[in-house]
Amino acid sequence: MTSPLSSRLFWGSAGLVWCLIGLAFAVPALVAVRVELARQRERAAAQAAALLEATAPGAGAELARGDSVALQRRLAALQREAPTLGAAYVSGQRGKAVAHTALAQVGELMLDAYPPPPRAQVRFAAGDRLLATIALPPQGRVLGALQLEFAAPNAHAAALAVLPWPALAGVALLLAGTLGAAWIARAARSPVAASLERTAADRADALQRQGRVIRSREALLRAMSEASPLATLVADEHTGAVLHVNGAFAVMWGLEARAAALGKGEIGLRDITAHCAAAVEGGGALLAGAAADGRGVIADEVALRDGRVLRRLAAPVGDGRGGQIGRLYLFEDITARKRGEIDLAAARDAALVASRAKSEFLATMSHELRTPLHGVIGSIDLLDGSPLDAVQRDHLRIARSSADVFLDLVAQILDVTTLDAGTLALEPVDFDLAALCAAVCTRAADAAARKGLTLAVHLAPGEWGLHGDARRLQQVLDHLVGNAVKFTERGGVELRVARRDGAAAGVVGLEIEVADTGTGIPVAQQASLFEPFTQADGSTTRRQGGAGLGLAVARRLVTLMGGEIGVSSAPGVGSTFWFTATVPRAHAALPAPRPATTAPLQGHLLVAEDNPINQKVAVRLLQRLGCTADVVANGREATEAAQRQSYDAVLMDCMMPEMDGYAATAAIRRAEGAARRTPIIAMTANAVAGDRDHCLEAGMDDYLAKPVDAAALRAVLTRHLGGR
């Protein structure tokens, strides 16, 4: 039987031998683990860089196109292919995530991505993470960044790869050490006290080392807190002790004179809370209020009496065992940021006021321009019906063409203003697309014939009765066909209309192309064609005119119709402008078109117009149509005339002195009662979206926008004179 002394000697010597063997084994094992860990990290970094370089071109192209769905699919595919990939995201120029493997983080600010390096950059971050970052695209202007986050190799994995064979050797050494300890216990009879002293000394050294580590960490945390611009306070709210406060807190709250006492903890939490609460707007509690929710995190803003605004963050500080040792308070002065937000809001409001003023000014200018244009175009139409020689008729044609260009420019400016204000609404009616295309080509036929161009329409077979805004669709086609004729010197222009597959029942998907054999447009200039006031040739020596508004208006109108517009072109080959639209089918079968009639109308009308020139034009246009007319200069006179005698119809200007057309219409309707209803037709230069509805709501029966030509006037009067 082994004596107690021999047993103690055995275990003591065995423990010593085991420790020595463990130390001898641990050093090379640790070196081997570190070498293996470095090798694994290098291999992981190279693989991450290769994956990043391979992914960046495609992701850059998708980011340039704004295709966030494709980016999301690309990141999901990367995560499936790379088992160690924890997260991946693509950020835009402002650092916000455009795509992320965690969809909830799309739109968040990703600070790790900026500034993005032009080539793949791989670094290891805290928590065994490997971050790989690259700018998108790799060349040229940086649109954003791509970052991949991998699980980096750790010491545990390296140990599993390296230690199996040293472990076997260690077991053998332990067995040998155990046998050696038995031999030592048998041979040696040293006092047990020496072993106990050595053990106590080892424990004392370990405690000293642990104390030094704790003090160095505490010093590091204090240095970080003092260097931070955030005002920091850590307090134990149960005992009222201040555990830590930095210099920024003393400066923010005017406690510089007591900074030394704060640092030593000689000022309690109650005194600090009272001092800070006195500076808060309204006298609210600053610290106790934030702590009232127990363990929760508080993030809000606090207004001070001196005008400053602080961002406050309060969070609990745990003891690592589920308990709470205090609460951390952080304060940031955001006064400048708040003032910037107020200034930005004021600037935005000023811009809105300026935009409204611009819209009102352009609408007024449109009205003022349309009023004399009515006299010009009406007089030209009247002259066109009189006997003229060939030279005079050619001069008249030039004047009418110039007036039409002027009117088209006024309409484009008004359309841009209305679209910018967001007040333009489509006015759907049943129409025949085939007839509309024929009308478009008829309008462009003279210009094409003068240049010797062919003008063709290719319409897919089938019914083309649709329900949509025919006027706006014709406006888009007029501009595209007119542009094609304008910029083509030889060859021809084709208008092609086809149905697009995949449209829902009762809806027609349109694919419309206008192709020409003109000079073509360089690729560098195609992207800006649809911007306002932009032309492919903007130099002062360009041969063709125009303000560069037509394509911008066309794009906005096509967007309202639920479609897209674009161009494919090459210099010397020609251009093809295309657009799509989704239009419902006509609600009912369209009647067969009636042949145009030139038979004279019959009727006695009242013309309410304050402009003397437009009075003459209106009367002579009516006389040409076969009607007679009385003329008054304002709404009051129109009301009195309508009460004196009965008229077959009234042409009512809306903007007149003394009484405008709206008030005059209301007065005439009140005087008529329910017995009869005289057709009242608005003939006004107000052509802003909504003016037609305003006229109809005022009691008028129809609407004509100035300048009015004889054909439009005949069509309206034919509807309201009962075929006379």
Side-chain angles (χ1 to χ4, degrees):
M1 180 175 296
T2 306
S3 66
L5 180 58
S6 299
S7 176
R8 288 196 298 271
L9 287 174
F10 170 79
W11 289 112
S13 58
L16 178 60
V17 171
W18 289 343
C19 289
L20 294 175
I21 292 174
L23 289 175
F25 166 74
V27 172
L30 181 60
V31 171
V33 169
R34 291 180 65 85
V35 170
E36 178 61 21
L37 179 60
R39 185 181 299 111
Q40 290 183 4
R41 288 166 71 95
E42 288 178 2
R43 187 163 54 249
Q47 292 173 351
L51 182 60
L52 193 66
E53 293 283 358
T55 305
E62 291 162 355
L63 179 60
R65 294 196 305 269
D67 194 347
S68 58
V69 175
L71 283 172
Q72 199 67 41
R73 289 198 299 266
R74 182 178 291 277
L75 297 183
L78 283 178
Q79 197 168 38
R80 290 192 300 269
E81 295 171 2
T84 59
L85 180 62
Y89 69 85
V90 174
S91 63
Q93 291 181 328
R94 301 186 177 214
K96 289 186 177 180
V98 176
H100 202 291
T101 50
L103 290 176
Q105 295 190 22
V106 173
E108 294 186 3
L109 189 65
M110 300 294 175
L111 297 180
D112 285 343
Y114 281 86
R119 293 190 173 277
Q121 182 184 81
V122 180
R123 61 188 180 87
F124 291 88
D128 289 332
R129 293 182 304 141
L130 186 149
L131 301 180
T133 309
I134 192 170
L136 295 179
Q139 292 86 24
R141 182 168 63 92
V142 175
L143 299 178
L146 169 65
Q147 179 157 317
L148 307 179
E149 179 178 332
F150 296 84
N154 52 32
H156 179 70
L160 291 177
V162 172
L163 292 183
W165 63 266
L168 295 176
V171 170
L173 290 174
L174 287 176
L175 291 176
T178 303
L179 295 176
W183 180 81
I184 292 173
R186 182 184 298 270
R189 294 292 185 268
S190 58
V192 178
S195 175
L196 295 177
E197 280 185 17
R198 286 193 299 271
T199 302
D202 291 341
R203 290 181 179 177
D205 291 341
L207 290 175
Q208 289 178 357
R209 287 194 299 270
Q210 187 176 5
R212 287 194 296 269
V213 171
I214 293 174
R215 287 191 295 273
S216 64
R217 290 180 178 176
E218 181 180 357
L220 176 61
L221 291 175
R222 288 186 176 276
M224 293 172 61
S225 176
E226 290 297 332
S228 173
L230 300 178
T232 306
L233 172 71
V234 182
D236 186 344
E237 294 163 344
H238 299 292
T239 63
V242 176
L243 304 180
H244 173 70
V245 62
N246 68 350
F249 183 89
V251 172
M252 176 176 288
W253 295 103
L255 295 170
E256 297 96 322
R258 307 176 69 184
L262 282 172
K264 296 178 181 178
E266 297 174 356
I267 300 177
L269 181 61
R270 180 179 300 177
D271 294 337
I272 295 178
T273 301
H275 175 84
C276 295
V280 177
E281 182 70 30
L286 185 70
L287 302 183
D293 70 334
R295 295 177 178 270
V297 175
I298 302 299
D300 57 5
E301 295 177 2
V302 179
L304 303 186
R305 297 180 186 275
D306 59 7
R308 289 181 296 164
V309 180
L310 306 182
R311 182 174 180 271
R312 172 176 58 181
L313 174 67
V317 179
D319 59 3
R321 297 187 298 274
Q324 182 176 337
I325 61 175
R327 182 174 289 273
L328 167 68
Y329 294 93
L330 298 175
F331 298 92
E332 180 185 8
D333 191 338
I334 59 172
T335 307
R337 186 192 311 168
K338 284 292 182 182
R339 289 174 180 168
E341 292 173 357
I342 294 173
D343 293 342
L344 182 61
R348 183 184 64 246
D349 295 340
L352 291 175
V353 171
S355 177
R356 284 194 294 269
K358 180 197 72 172
S359 299
E360 293 171 0
F361 170 76
L362 289 176
T364 302
M365 288 304 299
S366 173
H367 179 276
E368 295 302 320
L369 291 171
R370 283 176 179 272
T371 298
L373 269 176
H374 178 61
V376 172
I377 293 179
S379 300
I380 292 174
D381 287 343
L382 291 171
L383 280 174
D384 193 30
S386 61
L388 299 172
D389 59 32
V391 175
Q392 291 171 331
R393 193 166 297 281
D394 186 57
H395 290 167
L396 191 65
R397 181 186 59 78
I398 294 173
R400 179 55 194 261
S401 177
S402 299
D404 287 341
V405 172
F406 190 14
L407 179 61
D408 186 55
L409 179 59
V410 172
Q412 287 179 6
I413 294 174
L414 185 60
D415 284 340
V416 169
T417 305
T418 308
L419 287 165
D420 285 343
T423 58
L424 190 146
L426 300 179
E427 300 175 2
V429 295
D430 286 349
F431 70 97
D432 184 359
L433 181 60
L436 187 147
C437 292
V440 169
C441 290
T442 300
R443 287 168 60 92
D446 288 343
R450 286 194 300 270
K451 301 175 76 171
L453 304 177
T454 61
L455 185 58
V457 179
H458 299 283
L459 198 69
E463 294 293 330
W464 285 104
L466 303 176
H467 183 78
D469 194 327
R471 184 169 67 91
R472 295 300 184 183
L473 183 58
Q474 182 171 348
Q475 181 179 350
V476 175
L477 288 174
D478 278 338
H479 185 78
L480 294 182
V481 173
N483 262 10
V485 172
K486 180 193 299 185
F487 293 100
T488 302
E489 298 300 328
R490 62 180 60 87
V493 176
E494 292 185 4
L495 171 59
R496 299 191 286 261
V497 182
R499 290 180 175 85
R500 185 175 52 181
D501 296 334
V507 175
V508 177
L510 297 179
E511 289 184 349
I512 300 178
E513 296 180 348
V514 177
D516 63 59
T517 56
T519 57
I521 305 168
V523 176
Q525 297 173 353
Q526 293 178 16
S528 61
L529 278 178
F530 298 95
E531 298 300 325
F533 308 104
T534 301
Q535 293 176 325
D537 180 9
S539 66
T540 57
T541 59
R542 57 187 171 86
R543 297 170 57 190
Q544 307 293 345
L549 290 173
L551 287 177
V553 172
R555 182 183 66 174
R556 306 278 285 277
L557 292 177
V558 168
T559 301
L560 282 177
M561 298 177 193
E564 297 178 313
I565 190 169
V567 61
S568 59
S569 180
V573 176
S575 303
T576 298
F577 283 84
W578 58 267
F579 71 92
T580 62
T582 303
V583 185
R585 297 185 184 277
H587 293 166
L590 295 176
R594 296 189 217 172
T597 177
T598 58
L601 301 173
Q602 295 180 12
H604 186 56
L605 282 73
L606 175 64
V607 176
E609 169 66 63
D610 62 323
N611 187 288
I613 296 176
N614 289 342
Q615 289 175 355
K616 294 179 181 180
V617 171
V619 170
R620 291 175 183 173
L621 284 173
L622 290 172
Q623 290 173 349
R624 173 179 289 184
L625 295 175
C627 299
T628 59
D630 294 336
V631 178
V632 294
N634 57 57
R636 180 182 55 76
E637 294 178 2
T639 303
E640 295 172 354
Q643 293 174 353
R644 284 195 304 269
Q645 72 176 87
S646 175
Y647 291 97
D648 294 310
V650 179
L651 295 180
M652 183 74 73
D653 187 18
C654 293
M655 308 301 292
M656 294 183 292
E658 295 191 35
M659 179 185 287
D660 62 25
Y662 306 112
T665 299
I668 293 173
R669 295 300 184 215
R670 286 194 301 269
E672 285 181 335
R676 63 182 300 275
R677 183 181 179 91
T678 302
I680 300 177
I681 301 164
M683 191 167 66
T684 174
N686 292 342
V688 180
D691 284 336
R692 178 186 179 89
D693 295 336
H694 190 190
C695 293
L696 299 180
E697 290 169 0
M700 301 182 192
D701 299 283
D702 218 324
Y703 172 90
L704 283 170
K706 294 178 181 177
V708 178
D709 58 21
L713 183 58
R714 171 184 283 276
V716 171
L717 291 179
T718 300
R719 288 198 297 269
H720 295 285
L721 293 182
R724 287 175 292 173

